[in-house]
Amino acid sequence: MQASTLKPVIDVSQLWMLLGIPEGPERCRGGTVTDSTAQDGHIEEEIRLETAGGPVPGTMFRPSGPGPHPAILYCHAHGNRHDIGRRELREGRTALPGGAYGPLLADRGYAVFCIDMPGFGDRQTEGSESALAKAAHWKGQTLFGLMLADLSAALDYLTERPDIDAGRIATFGISMGATHAYWLAALDARVARTAHLCAFSNIAGLIEAGTHDLHGSYMTVPGLLARCDMGDIAAMIAPRPQFIGAGGTDPLTPPAGLRPAVETVRDAYERVRANDRLTVLVSPETGHVETPEMRRAILHFFT
């Protein structure tokens, strides 16, 4: 059975409309490597993207060889630490006790690219998350949509680099980065596979559990629940490989939200006979944190 036989409940153009970007994101206007440092076995680059909304800073860790390399568009987390942003790729964060992914993945042969989201890292000067979300809503946009548009530009940049294998680009993230990772994969078929940790839940279930306000204002998409929910978004990725990781005691993935979302995704993969391309790992006793088992499974998934 071909993937075209799976008809999603909402299509890509309709999603971009809900996100406040009715024509879809504009393509990246170019990228410049502003600094490059050789490490043991890999190279760290500072990159400036030129996007429709202005310059966007990014960091890449890549193997020292010529390539073309498989790539991972790494989506950074939130964690109420707007100062971290793309530094997570180099320095990690509390939710990643196993350490930062940038050098680790580069040493395993991947080019790993992360950009600062609006209001994070070097882009804090653009305004607070609250101010950016409110301004976007007044303009008929959403901050979430603007973030995904920037990530789409980063994907453009990766596909155009000669040292990147454009057919082997994945997305990955934890928490806010997880939501970005699977949404971008749903919106853009150029994403070959996606892995996401500690954020997957139907919004209706979060509202039912009373934990939806734990998310930042960035994630508000007006009218989404009248059309679909997060499980339906992730289902659009089938039959491409997808890894879902969650903690059983994580308030952002309560059973009322996680279970129906996973069931929707499982059903989508079953309908296109791609059950073996979906991995779901729930750590029953842990919360909003990557476990050693998750890390081992993630590294195996990318391999």
Side-chain angles (χ1 to χ4, degrees), residues 33 53 62 65 167 171 174 190-191 222-223 230 265 267 270 290 292 303:
V33 177
R62 64 173 177 83
T171 56
I174 186 171
R190 293 178 297 174
V191 177
M230 297 305 208
V265 178
D267 181 62
E270 287 174 1
E290 180 195 54
T303 302

Side-chain angles (χ1 to χ4, degrees), residues 6 56 63 65 79 90 99 110 116-117 135 137 151 179 196-197 247 275:
L6 177 62
V56 174
R90 181 192 308 112
Y110 304 94
D116 280 335
M117 289 287 92
H137 289 161
L151 289 166
T179 307
H196 47 99
L197 300 176
N275 308 56

Side-chain angles (χ1 to χ4, degrees), residues 192-195 237-243 269 276-279 301:
R193 62 177 54 206
T194 186
I237 300 166
R240 288 168 287 159
Q242 180 172 183
F243 181 98
Y269 277 80
D276 59 333
R277 298 184 181 182
L278 175 66
T279 303
F301 175 78

Side-chain angles (χ1 to χ4, degrees), residues 200-202 205-207 209-211 247-260:
F200 190 52
S201 171
N202 276 347
L206 287 179
I207 294 173
T211 58
T249 64
D250 187 345
L252 292 182
T253 57
L258 177 62
R259 287 174 184 165

